[in-house]
Structures are given as structure tokens and as C-alpha cells.
Amino acid sequence: MTAPELTAPKKPMNRRTVGGAERWSWVFQRISGVILIVLIFTHLFVNLLTGDGVSQIDFAFVAGKWASPLWQWWDFTMLVLAMMHGTNGMRMLVNDYATRPFLRETLHWALRIAMVIIIVLGSLVIWTFDPCPTDASGALLEGVPSFCESVL
């Protein structure tokens, strides 16, 4: 009985696999996953387990939290890292299951565009949030943080 002949390995799908980009993508997934676990569980702990729990989360709570640059940067970091982590994971799935090059590139571009749009919109919410709305309805103003009373 003779051993089967080995065939030459397939050529890489694209030139990104030649320079080790896929390896760095894999490393990024692991590192960003660990960082996201810390960011998300701290976020959940502060929002849900301290104070009155979920019943405390309202406009005033978010306004008070985002009055601090620390929490703005925390949420921004969480947004960007989660979107990059998720997009990279979806890119890996596309590479595994999209066999036609045109379909693969189209899906890669759709992922990139969706990631950029969500990061831009989320960033606008975080960085342009006004904790002291001057023309809001009375129902919204019931929970206005104390630092807004001088503005209103």
C-alpha cells in the first residue's frame, strides 16, 4: 500500500494573507475580546448593580454619567472596539463561506461601510449629547440632573 500523493496547498485568497494580516486579525480578536469583557462588565456593574439597579437608568442617569469625560471615553472605546471586533469576526465568516471573489469583496465593503456608519452615529450621540436641554417637554425635565437647574 502506498501513501496518497500530497497536493500543493491552495493559493491565498488575496495578498493580505501573505503578509500575516490574517494572523494579526486573529490576535486582534483575542485581545479585543478580553478588553471588551472588562469594558462591558464594568459598564454593566456601574449601570445595573450600583445604586437602584435598572430602575435608575433614565435621562438624568445618562446625563449625569456623560457629564464626566471618563464615561464618554469609556462608552466611545466600547463602541469602537465592539464594532471593530464584530466586523472582524464577520469578515472571517465571509472569508470562510463566500467562495466567489466578487461576493466576498462586496460583503467586505458592506461590512466596512456599516461599521463606519455605526461608529460615526454612535460617536455623534456620545460627543454631542446635551445633558441640559432647554426646549424639552415637561416629562423629560422631571429627571434633569441638578447641575442643569442653573441653565434652565
Side-chain angles (χ1 to χ4, degrees):
M1 178 172 230
T2 60
E5 280 190 42
L6 296 175
T7 58
K10 291 182 192 177
K11 289 183 353 183
M13 286 187 297
N14 56 34
R15 65 176 193 249
R16 285 176 40 109
T17 57
V18 176
E22 290 299 320
R23 178 174 56 106
W24 287 111
S25 168
W26 183 88
V27 170
F28 171 76
Q29 281 298 100
R30 275 54 190 175
I31 293 171
S32 66
V34 171
I35 295 170
L36 277 168
I37 287 172
V38 171
L39 289 171
I40 290 168
F41 278 105
T42 303
H43 175 83
L44 289 173
F45 178 79
V46 168
N47 288 344
L48 301 176
L49 298 177
T50 60
D52 296 332
V54 73
S55 62
Q56 75 180 347
I57 299 176
D58 58 3
F59 181 85
F61 178 79
V62 174
K65 224 176 123 186
W66 279 355
S68 165
L70 169 75
W71 289 113
Q72 285 180 317
W73 279 104
W74 191 279
D75 288 350
F76 175 74
T77 304
M78 199 166 44
L79 167 72
V80 171
L81 200 56
M83 286 308 302
M84 289 175 62
H85 180 88
T87 301
N88 190 40
M90 288 302 298
R91 184 195 58 78
M92 290 181 198
L93 288 173
V94 167
N95 284 346
D96 288 344
Y97 292 108
T99 56
R100 288 180 263 162
F102 176 76
L103 176 63
R104 186 172 35 250
E105 281 304 310
T106 303
L107 292 172
H108 282 174
W109 275 107
L111 284 169
R112 290 178 193 125
I113 290 168
M115 179 186 74
V116 168
I117 288 171
I118 291 172
I119 288 174
V120 167
L121 291 176
S123 298
L124 284 172
V125 170
I126 291 170
W127 299 115
T128 63
F129 180 77
D130 182 10
C132 304
T134 56
D135 56 349
S137 69
L140 182 63
L141 294 177
E142 289 175 17
V144 172
S146 59
F147 58 80
C148 289
E149 291 172 359
S150 62
V151 176
L152 300 174

